[in-house]
Amino acid sequence: MINKRLLIKNLLAHHDESSFYDKKRQLNLHTREGKAKFLKHICALSNSNPANNSYIVVGVEDQDNEIVGDDFFDDSRIQNLVNAYLENPPKIQYENVPFPNLPKDKVIGLVTIKPKNRTSYFKKGIHTIASQSVFIRRGSNTVPIDEEVEKNYQNTGTVIDIENNSRSNIEYTLDGVIDFMNFRHKDMSPKYKVFKELFVICWAGIAKKVHENTFLSRVDIELINEQIKLFYSAQDEVSISFDEDSFTIIEYIPLGLNDKTSYYPLEKQTIHFYENGYYKIDREMLFQPPEYNKKMLFHIYNSNLFLIDKLQKSISLTEREFKDLENLPSTLMVCYLNGFEDAKQKLIDAKLLLKPFTPVYLSFKEALRVLRKMKYDIQ
């Protein structure tokens, strides 16, 4: 079992970007250009490492390796994006790794690209990348090639050494549990559960009763053995259940046009643990968006566009408009889910305008996260 925090430290300490490792300040998967860059690196790293894992570390400054962190990113459907554009796509895994000196809402992202012997290439174009394009890594550079990819196994020994030096042990696990329970979340009724005498999950949140249901808010859930966050949200509510073999998280989102008093189940995530030291995460999308009268939505949609227009022109908002602004991201999401096709792009385009308003910007990120989950959900 690999301690992912230690793995990231070993990658940063011993190697600059190479043919099996890349680092990014952040990923931008909201635009076609951002998706294209990400897919290009996945393609190149996969082709350059047919016999060993390769990695992308997200949340690190390129020049000096400073660990600055990035937002928690829970898009398990990132594999669907890779499958949609690459022929012979590698299996990839995105994990969120907490670091002690980062704010609690920031993590380092770790993309693991599993080895695959067949050449990956673009089966359809995106942004400036043409269909049939093939990429490899040459040192720290991602480059296109025209000829057949020549299989190179020179990285295998180096990567195995790095991974072996990143193995978890009982000291790391105990330190992680003590830190979670006694320091980071001591005021949030933290709990832990041991599965199969090997896996330790810690979680913490603030209990909140809505109608007859009890939810946890401001939730943090970590698999301590591997130093990865399984779930984090500053806004959403979750319910948690477990037995001797599994741990289940059901995530809810508060939605409404003028408030957020209705709670809708978004996704169920179940971690299954096995005796052989293996675990598997199953995810099921539960979300059924609320439906509203189209005429009423049309009026609300235009009111939100008017708010965006005032922000663009630096016109002061009234007290009532500030209240409406707080609900703008979730309102535009509801509009999009009810057939207003432009609403999603309008929301994305308003990102920089909303960023100075911290609660609104948090709501913006949550709305895009929900829409991203729905887009890449496997039906």
Side-chain angles (χ1 to χ4, degrees):
M1 191 176 299
I2 294 178
N3 182 306
K4 301 303 171 60
R5 184 190 297 170
L6 191 56
L7 174 62
I8 290 170
K9 286 182 177 180
N10 285 333
L11 287 169
L12 294 177
H14 298 293
H15 296 276
D16 198 356
E17 292 174 317
S18 67
S19 54
F20 62 84
Y21 153 62
D22 196 8
K23 59 188 175 186
K24 299 293 175 192
R25 175 61 185 82
Q26 60 184 13
L27 294 182
N28 178 11
L29 300 183
H30 301 315
T31 66
R32 287 179 63 81
E33 180 182 4
K35 290 176 183 176
K37 288 180 178 179
F38 174 72
L39 291 166
K40 180 175 69 173
H41 292 309
I42 294 292
C43 178
L45 287 164
S46 175
N47 288 334
S48 301
N49 296 277
N52 57 266
N53 291 332
S54 46
Y55 298 98
I56 301 175
V57 178
V58 183
V60 177
E61 292 288 1
D62 188 51
Q63 298 299 321
D64 56 6
N65 277 359
E66 181 185 359
I67 294 175
V68 293
D70 199 5
D71 293 335
F72 180 90
F73 186 79
D74 68 346
D75 195 343
S76 59
R77 293 152 188 84
I78 200 170
Q79 180 74 58
N80 294 31
L81 173 64
V82 175
N83 293 348
Y85 284 92
L86 295 185
E87 191 69 33
N88 302 323
K91 289 184 178 180
I92 67 170
Q93 184 176 23
Y94 192 105
E95 294 168 308
N96 298 276
V97 184
F99 271 71
N101 296 326
L102 292 177
K104 64 182 180 180
D105 62 332
K106 297 294 182 182
V107 293
I108 297 297
L110 179 67
V111 182
T112 302
I113 303 152
K114 304 294 185 180
K116 187 176 185 64
N117 198 45
R118 299 179 66 187
T119 299
S120 297
Y121 62 91
F122 281 78
K123 61 185 176 183
K124 61 180 180 180
I126 178 172
H127 191 51
T128 60
I129 300 175
S131 174
Q132 307 301 309
S133 295
V134 182
F135 294 88
I136 62 167
R137 295 281 289 191
R138 285 185 177 148
S140 61
N141 297 316
T142 295
V143 297
I145 61 169
D146 296 323
E147 68 274 11
E148 181 69 21
V149 174
E150 181 179 345
K151 301 303 179 185
N152 191 329
Y153 301 92
Q154 66 180 8
N155 294 325
T156 305
T158 304
V159 174
I160 289 175
D161 286 343
I162 291 173
E163 292 173 343
N164 285 338
N165 288 329
S166 305
R167 295 289 173 186
S168 190
N169 58 42
I170 203 164
E171 180 182 2
Y172 291 133
T173 301
L174 287 174
D175 287 346
V177 172
I178 291 170
D179 180 57
F180 190 99
M181 302 287 291
N182 294 347
F183 297 100
R184 283 190 286 142
H185 300 295
K186 62 181 180 181
D187 299 325
M188 296 175 65
S189 300
K191 297 178 176 60
Y192 74 92
K193 170 69 177 173
V194 180
F195 296 89
K196 305 301 180 183
E197 300 181 337
L198 180 62
F199 302 97
V200 184
I201 287 185
C202 289
W203 71 95
I206 298 175
K208 177 180 179 181
K209 194 159 188 177
V210 179
H211 305 305
E212 298 303 317
N213 299 312
T214 299
F215 301 99
L216 293 178
S217 61
R218 294 175 57 194
V219 177
D220 189 3
I221 306 172
E222 294 185 15
L223 179 60
I224 300 297
N225 310 70
E226 297 193 354
Q227 290 290 346
I228 58 174
K229 279 185 184 286
L230 296 171
F231 185 91
Y232 177 83
S233 175
Q235 290 190 315
D236 289 357
E237 278 71 30
V238 306
S239 64
I240 290 173
S241 60
F242 54 87
D243 55 29
E244 292 305 306
D245 302 313
S246 63
F247 186 92
T248 299
I249 307 159
I250 298 180
E251 178 185 358
Y252 296 80
I253 55 172
L255 275 181
L257 290 177
N258 297 314
D259 55 30
K260 297 180 181 179
T261 57
S262 298
Y263 286 76
Y264 295 83
L266 176 62
E267 184 180 40
K268 180 168 74 172
Q269 182 177 168
T270 302
I271 304 98
H272 302 276
F273 299 97
Y274 301 94
E275 297 287 354
N276 61 356
Y278 171 74
Y279 70 90
K280 181 179 71 171
I281 300 178
D282 290 330
R283 293 176 172 89
E284 179 185 357
M285 194 70 173
L286 305 175
F287 187 53
Q288 295 294 327
E291 296 182 3
Y292 294 93
N293 178 275
K294 287 293 198 313
K295 288 185 178 179
M296 178 185 70
L297 273 185
F298 184 75
H299 170 72
I300 294 173
Y301 179 58
N302 283 330
S303 296
N304 279 268
L305 296 187
F306 177 71
L307 282 180
I308 293 174
D309 185 61
K310 290 190 74 171
L311 291 177
Q312 287 175 328
K313 295 176 179 177
S314 300
I315 299 175
S316 298
L317 302 184
T318 66
E319 184 176 344
R320 174 63 189 176
E321 287 172 335
F322 269 116
K323 183 66 176 176
D324 291 339
L325 184 66
E326 292 178 4
N327 295 319
L328 183 145
S330 60
T331 300
L332 286 183
M333 178 174 69
V334 169
C335 289
Y336 175 75
L337 296 173
N338 279 264
F340 290 71
E341 295 295 331
D342 293 339
K344 179 180 176 182
Q345 192 57 50
K346 295 290 186 183
L347 178 59
I348 293 172
D349 292 342
K351 176 180 178 179
L352 294 180
L353 298 173
L354 302 178
K355 200 165 187 177
F357 307 95
T358 301
V360 182
Y361 188 61
L362 286 174
S363 180
F364 163 83
K365 291 194 290 186
E366 290 292 299
L368 287 188
R369 184 174 66 87
V370 173
L371 292 174
R372 189 169 60 239
K373 280 191 173 191
M374 295 189 68
K375 178 177 181 179
Y376 294 118
D377 184 44
I378 301 175
Q379 302 296 333

